[in-house]
Amino acid sequence: MHKYLRAIGFSQIKNSKQLNELLTYSIKNAEDKLYSSKDDDTMFAQYYKSFGENIGIAICGEYDESNRFTMDYYYPYGKGICISSYEDITVERHAEKESYAGICDEVKVGVSLIFYLQNIVSYLKLKNSGRLPVKGTSLVLSALSNSGSIILPIYKDEYDRKKITKANIDRNRLLSAARKGDEEAIESLTLEDMDTYTIISKRILKEDIFTLVDTCFMPYGVQCDQYSILGEIVDCHLVTNSLTKEEIYQLSVNCNDLIFEVYINKMDLMGEPMIGRRFKGAIWMQGHINFPQ
């Protein structure tokens, strides 16, 4: 049972029989069927079944020489709707199955951003034709969540917003220079982090942590594509699962200037989301790489 099925509205799937019925239905009624040759005798296939706006289940497997399909694995997905990054991306295969992880060195979040690759067939076609690595890609991120809460925003006037924007631009410039080995940039970032630590250490004695930290993005648990985030909601609306009628929140979240969609079951979200408020929760990050034509 996939942990994040409930994030797209399947909270009532409790046993293998119900799961197999759902997967069989998804294969028979798939809207998109994508294929890529794997070797001389087999072909990799990826089926997509939508259960609402931008949510659904992807089923991956292979056809043998007898044209018989065998499912290898499945995963729930939520589609992103805007480009999150233009940084170069590296793709690595998972050890246990024909699934892939993308690694993006995005300076905005300060860590190597690892995500679960959605468009596997597009990548395999480029790999089979010997066209890797590919430059000039863009990345559309999305995430599923099983637990989250809504936090009120930190008050910021126009002057504060301009000041924060300028500070983010300056920090991203220093991070980019530091990645290229600029010693002055590395020293500036180190001193800035020390100053920030000193200021927060003093203020945390009298103030709540969420009045000091506006957004955050950090690894969560032992799986490399799961994160704990705190970000500002820039758009919000409800999506209804067409099969179960469960309601899903689609939240566009700005986290460290990285914008992506978060999908969470209405039952699993504490609080009322609104534009300007903040979302705090644990997410499973997915990504769609836009390869150049």
Side-chain angles (χ1 to χ4, degrees):
M1 196 80 63
H2 201 288
K3 177 181 177 181
Y4 287 95
L5 269 178
R6 68 178 294 113
I8 63 167
F10 291 105
S11 63
Q12 299 304 312
I13 301 293
K14 302 296 185 182
N15 53 54
S16 298
K17 179 182 178 182
Q18 293 174 326
L19 176 62
N20 289 333
E21 290 175 352
L22 174 62
L23 295 178
T24 301
Y25 172 82
S26 299
I27 293 173
K28 290 181 178 179
N29 297 277
E31 289 97 355
D32 292 321
K33 301 179 181 180
L34 304 177
Y35 307 92
S36 176
S37 59
K38 192 173 179 182
D39 52 46
D40 293 339
D41 298 324
T42 59
M43 179 176 292
F44 181 85
Q46 189 171 23
Y47 291 178
Y48 291 96
K49 171 56 184 169
S50 172
F51 289 98
E53 183 183 359
N54 299 324
I55 60 172
I57 293 177
I59 296 127
C60 301
E62 61 181 41
Y63 282 91
D64 59 19
E65 65 277 4
S66 302
N67 202 32
R68 182 173 55 191
F69 177 74
T70 302
M71 187 189 78
D72 186 13
Y73 65 94
Y74 74 96
Y75 64 90
Y77 68 84
K79 291 183 179 179
I81 60 175
C82 65
I83 294 176
S84 304
S85 175
Y86 289 94
E87 296 290 337
D88 290 336
I89 302 165
T90 304
V91 177
E92 297 287 343
R93 185 186 186 275
H94 291 135
E96 77 278 12
K97 57 180 180 287
E98 192 77 33
S99 61
Y100 292 82
I103 304 99
C104 177
D105 288 326
E106 178 54 68
V107 296
K108 296 176 183 176
V109 296
V111 297
S112 292
L113 178 62
I114 301 175
F115 59 89
Y116 194 93
L117 182 63
Q118 292 178 334
N119 55 325
I120 300 172
V121 171
S122 299
Y123 172 77
L124 288 177
K125 287 181 177 180
L126 290 171
K127 181 181 178 182
N128 293 338
S129 60
R131 294 161 57 192
L132 295 177
V134 178
K135 298 294 182 181
T137 59
S138 59
L139 175 63
V140 178
L141 290 172
S142 58
L144 302 182
S145 177
N146 282 341
S147 63
S149 56
I150 301 300
I151 299 177
L152 293 176
I154 298 175
Y155 174 76
K156 297 185 287 288
D157 58 23
E158 190 62 28
Y159 172 78
D160 294 328
R161 293 183 181 277
K162 289 181 179 179
K163 185 178 178 180
I164 292 170
T165 300
K166 183 179 183 302
N168 288 336
I169 292 173
D170 291 342
R171 182 171 176 81
N172 289 340
R173 177 179 55 80
L174 287 173
L175 284 169
S176 181
R179 288 169 60 188
K180 298 176 182 177
D182 189 321
E183 293 185 3
E184 290 186 7
I186 295 172
E187 184 177 350
S188 296
L189 287 168
T190 302
L191 292 173
E192 182 183 315
D193 288 344
M194 291 172 64
D195 290 341
T196 301
Y197 176 78
T198 302
I199 294 170
I200 290 178
S201 296
K202 293 178 180 178
R203 294 181 60 184
I204 196 66
L205 298 175
K206 299 180 180 180
E207 299 180 48
D208 184 84
I209 184 66
F210 295 118
T211 65
L212 303 176
V213 179
D214 193 11
T215 69
C216 72
F217 189 100
M218 57 185 179
Y220 176 82
V222 296
Q223 296 191 35
C224 55
D225 52 9
Q226 295 186 14
Y227 299 91
S228 176
I229 67 165
L230 173 64
E232 181 181 351
I233 298 172
V234 295
D235 195 14
C236 168
H237 70 275
L238 278 172
V239 177
T240 302
N241 185 303
S242 59
L243 192 63
T244 66
K245 306 306 178 184
E246 292 183 22
E247 292 183 315
I248 314 300
Y249 276 118
Q250 178 183 327
L251 309 175
S252 294
V253 177
N254 184 340
C255 185
N256 288 24
D257 281 340
L258 191 72
I259 299 176
F260 53 90
E261 269 57 50
V262 176
Y263 296 87
I264 181 170
N265 198 307
K266 187 177 182 180
M267 297 183 293
D268 297 327
L269 183 63
M270 181 181 297
E272 186 72 22
M274 291 180 62
I275 295 174
R277 293 180 179 177
R278 292 182 290 171
F279 170 82
K280 177 183 178 295
I283 63 168
W284 176 42
M285 186 67 78
Q286 301 180 348
H288 180 103
I289 302 175
N290 295 320
F291 294 106
Q293 297 298 322

